Amino acid sequence: MPVIHITNRAGAESTLEAESGISIMENLRDNDYEIDAICGGSCACATCHVYVDEAWAARLPAQDDDEKGLVEDEPTYKPNSRLSCQIEMTDALDGLKLTIAPEA
Amino acid sequence: MSEHIVIVGAGHAGGTLATQLARAGDRFRITLIGAENWPPYERPPLSKQLLMGEVPTEKVFLRPESFYADKGVDLRLGTEVTSIDRAGKTVTLAGGESLAYDRLALCTGTAIREIPVAGRDLPGVHYIRTIDDTLAIREKAGSGARVVIAGGGYIGLEAAAALRKLGCDVTVIEMMDRVMARAVAEPVSRFYEAAHRAEGVHILLETGVAEIGGNGRAEYVADSHGHVHPADIVLVGIGVVPVVALAADAGLAVDDGIVVDARARTSDPDIFAAGDCTRHPNALLGQTVRLESVQNAVDQARCISNELTDKGADYAEVPWFWSDQYDLKMQMAGLPAPDDQVVVRGGPDSRSFSVFYLRDGKVSGVNAINVGADYVRGRKWIGEGRTVDAARLADTEIPIKEV
Ligand SMILES: Cc1cc2nc3c(=O)[nH]c(=O)nc-3n(C[C@H](O)[C@H](O)[C@H](O)COP(=O)(O)OP(=O)(O)OC[C@H]3O[C@@H](n4cnc5c(N)ncnc54)[C@H](O)[C@@H]3O)c2cc1C
Ligand code: FES
């Protein structure tokens, strides 16, 4: 199983054994990592916002306009912001590091 | 000893509340009671991805079914709560069992509004409120199946889009002179009407359903103009009503929804309520409202969990909502009134535009179709009570951030 290294809102770090083939959002949500993911992954809410480690940013699938439009305007936006529902977990992402963004 | 929280209704609000309270560890003992046999799930996909068969059923669960037991939540499915004894602080379940609570949360949601015409009880008349409803429709929704949908609101239209995609022949019957009339301004209605027609959906406006008929099952819908539409599936989407009987029978204040205060408390200090079933004040809107949205279900559930964990704060959220039809993603925020000024930004021809609503110059609402940035801005402006210049807003040469 690939793993994701996660820093939660309180700053605590943990490692999650992730499931490939579903989104990173679903991995986080199903394991109770604080994200609301209100729209269930429809790219409509930005409540699945995470910051990905710089070293990983380039290795992730590119952001489409939809995701960009939504996340860029979040008050908590950073250049390494991503909506985790828009990234599918794969074995190639084994070791990915991310931080859950604060509540907007 | 842990405080026992009993949550009635294992829907979006109830499931969210249980999940949030479980994070407090031993502080609470949580019992989550749901009349349905499914663990808490998201309803939006019922008229979208699940109806199209794009996702397996488990994909719409809020959490995997095993989550609740893992977190110590006693999830009782297929169980209806039939009454509340406020003096004794117990609830009675359908089997007769009684359960004591320290605090009770009512998250009973809404029930479908039945269509008041002859033939409404015939087999083959469907609604979309539960997973079971959607699966039953999908089973019959093969290519060429004739579907008549009563109601051109967003659920009817989402279902129309999904069923077209499955190859069904779809007719939508709408009483008003435009679709989604309660939710959006005329330019948005007209845009969606045209989009559906272009996809081959027959839309009949200013038309009612007179009768549903057939031999032992629904086989046709007769409309108010005397036309008869043969049907393999009749789908009714004419709205919902809040489920308030439990609350009303227990003597709690009810007014088209269970009345709660800004902390989601009912008129009994030990009983809270959240989600579609509540009428609640929203300081940001300066009025009391009853909303039917995931946003409100989640935010109100959070309001209760904050209150119970000593982080209480008054409810003040910008309402927001979305709707997916074909490749059109509409995101909506605010609660515009029918007489608000309507400003269209961008051309509907591009299939990417937005409509802003202004009240006394202040942004009161936004509908953004395939233009997420306008939605995000609009939602922010509504929260800030910001005044914008209508002419600048309508000018797409000016980036939304600079309006
Ligand atoms: C087809 C469809 C599409 C939708 N699309 C969107 C969308 O795109 N975006 C959006 O924001 N919202 C959408 N909604 C609305 C959204 O799903 C609701 O606002 C949300 O589910 C409300 O959550 P709730 O917990 O208040 O109620 P519900 O999710 O309805 O849950 C209430 C639960 O309580 C149970 N219950 C009631 N009484 C009792 C009792 N006495 N004992 C035990 N259990 C009881 C019911 O069986 C039900 O399971 C959609 C709804 C539908 C039906
Ligand atoms: S879950 Fe809503 S945008 Fe990702």
Side-chain angles (χ1 to χ4, degrees), chain A residues 9 21-23 25-26 28-47 65-67 69-75 103-104, chain B residues 12 16 19-20 23 42 44 48-49 59 61-64 67 71 294-295 298-299 302 320 322 324 329 331 370-377 379-380 400-401:
Chain A
R9 289 191 177 134
I22 61 174
S23 69
M25 176 278 278
E26 287 166 282
L28 297 174
R29 181 194 64 185
D30 291 355
N31 292 286
D32 209 25
Y33 276 95
E34 300 172 307
I35 56 162
D36 283 335
I38 293 182
C39 77
S42 299
C43 200
C45 73
T47 58
D65 287 348
D66 239 22
E67 181 187 341
L70 197 56
V71 77
E72 271 183 6
D73 254 345
E74 281 292 292
E103 265 182 81
Chain B
H12 216 126
T16 301
T19 302
Q20 301 230 347
R23 291 184 190 151
E42 303 177 33
K48 308 178 181 83
Q49 300 92 328
K59 192 99 173 172
F61 295 172
L62 287 188
R63 292 286 186 280
F67 177 91
K71 297 286 172 187
V294 169
Q295 169 271 320
V298 170
D299 284 333
R302 199 200 325 255
W320 60 265
W322 73 97
D324 296 327
K329 175 154 83 197
Q331 290 160 278
N370 291 346
V371 46
D374 286 11
Y375 159 74
V376 177
R377 269 303 126 143
R379 190 173 129 192
K380 185 159 170 261
I400 190 76
K401 292 179 187 175

Side-chain angles (χ1 to χ4, degrees), chain B residues 9 11-13 35-36 43 48 81 108-109 129 276 293-294 321-322:
Chain B
H12 216 126
E36 292 181 62
R43 293 183 204 277
K48 308 178 181 83
V81 172
T108 48
R129 185 72 204 168
D276 283 12
S293 71
V294 169
F321 195 81
W322 73 97

Side-chain angles (χ1 to χ4, degrees), chain A residues 42-93:
Chain A
S42 299
C43 200
C45 73
T47 58
C48 62
H49 182 186
V50 299
Y51 305 122
V52 295
D53 189 77
E54 308 287 356
W56 282 91
R59 293 158 70 176
L60 297 176
Q63 228 172 3
D64 65 15
D65 287 348
D66 239 22
E67 181 187 341
K68 232 184 229 144
L70 197 56
V71 77
E72 271 183 6
D73 254 345
E74 281 292 292
T76 47
Y77 174 78
K78 292 187 193 174
N80 60 337
S81 283
R82 291 298 305 256
L83 296 181
S84 59
C85 69
Q86 299 302 303
I87 308 171
E88 185 182 307
M89 188 62 201
T90 60
D91 293 347
L93 296 183

Side-chain angles (χ1 to χ4, degrees), chain B residues 107-132:
Chain B
C107 304
T108 48
T110 54
I112 48 105
R113 186 188 296 278
E114 274 196 64
I115 190 160
V117 299
R120 66 173 179 220
D121 296 326
L122 286 171
V125 177
H126 297 263
Y127 294 81
I128 307 189
R129 185 72 204 168
T130 65
I131 287 180
D132 297 323

